[in-house]
């Protein structure tokens, strides 16, 4: 899913997305308005930011800016997880394996996300699933490093 598709999804949800000169964040949602930092260079990076902000729309309640509150940190994690699942997902990792991707750079390029976003996703999935998880006929290993194996 790319930035344009996410913009369309936001529009379908009745959200207004604008690029603004934000100082402290790459993105911010307040009510039905999403702001994306205006000087982000690529549509790929904007897509990663918008996915997280949509995650906040779907999963967060209230003002969660204070990260010293554990409930706010949990909501932040849920919004990020929503974005990771929307842009990458376990099936995206499998699709990258099936497409022959040999590096994180190739995976990120195929999935239309930044390498940093992909790594954050893998780290999040490792925290959630531990050593590995099974999807359909595949096993995705997160420890000691990312690997995908097809079951025979």
């Amino acid at each position: 899913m790319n930035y344009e598709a996410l913009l369309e999804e936001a529009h379908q949800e009745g959200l207004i997305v604008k690029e603004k000169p934000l100082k402290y964040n790459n993105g911010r949602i307040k009510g039905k308005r999403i702001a994306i930092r205006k000087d982000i260079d690529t549509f790929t990076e904007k897509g990663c930011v918008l996915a997280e902000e949509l995650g906040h729309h779907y999963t967060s309640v209230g003002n969660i800016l204070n990260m010293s509150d554990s409930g706010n940190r949990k909501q932040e994690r849920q919004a990020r997880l929503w974005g990771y699942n929307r842009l990458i997902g376990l099936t995206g990792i499998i699709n990258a394996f099936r497409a022959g991707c040999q590096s994180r750079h190739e995976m990120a390029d195929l999935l239309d996300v930044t390498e940093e976003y992909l790594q954050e996703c893998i780290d999040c999935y490792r925290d959630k699933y531990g050593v590995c998880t099974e999807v359909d006929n595949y096993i995705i290993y997160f420890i000691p490093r990312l690997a995908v194996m097809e079951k025979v």
Side-chain angles (χ1 to χ4, degrees):
M1 172 158 283
N2 62 24
Y3 184 57
E4 293 295 324
L6 290 170
L7 285 171
E8 180 59 30
E9 180 175 340
H11 176 74
Q12 293 297 322
E13 283 293 311
L15 300 171
I16 298 166
V17 179
K18 299 266 184 173
E19 294 186 17
K20 302 266 188 180
L22 300 176
K23 287 185 181 182
Y24 303 110
N25 303 49
N26 285 337
R28 179 112 191 251
I29 185 168
K30 186 172 183 181
K32 294 281 188 181
R33 296 181 170 275
I34 296 176
I36 304 292
R37 190 166 49 87
K38 190 175 191 170
D39 60 351
I40 292 176
D41 292 331
T42 67
F43 285 117
T44 298
E45 189 175 353
K46 287 178 184 181
C48 295
V49 173
L50 183 53
E52 181 179 331
E53 298 310 318
L54 284 170
H56 284 295
H57 169 71
Y58 290 116
T59 67
S60 300
V61 177
N63 180 338
I64 66 166
L65 293 174
N66 179 3
M67 286 296 117
S68 64
D69 179 277
S70 64
N72 291 352
R73 288 192 307 272
K74 184 176 180 179
Q75 287 192 68
E76 182 67 29
R77 183 179 183 279
Q78 281 302 113
R80 287 184 182 183
L81 180 60
W82 188 96
Y84 299 146
N85 288 337
R86 190 76 169 111
L87 292 185
I88 300 170
L90 296 172
T91 56
I93 294 171
I94 291 168
N95 290 340
F97 165 76
R98 293 177 67 201
C101 293
Q102 297 292 312
S103 68
R104 280 188 174 61
H105 175 76
E106 289 177 355
M107 285 181 69
D109 191 47
L110 177 79
L111 298 167
D112 200 19
V113 297
T114 65
E115 288 183 57
E116 179 182 32
Y117 192 82
L118 176 61
Q119 186 59 54
E120 289 170 0
C121 174
I122 292 166
D123 293 344
C124 181
Y125 286 169
R126 183 191 61 234
D127 292 344
K128 181 177 180 177
Y129 297 110
V131 173
C132 65
T133 190
E134 233 177 280
V135 179
D136 297 327
N137 205 34
Y138 295 89
I139 301 173
I140 303 172
Y141 288 91
F142 300 102
I143 297 173
R145 63 181 185 80
L146 183 65
V148 179
M149 298 179 74
E150 186 172 11
K151 291 166 46 178
V152 252

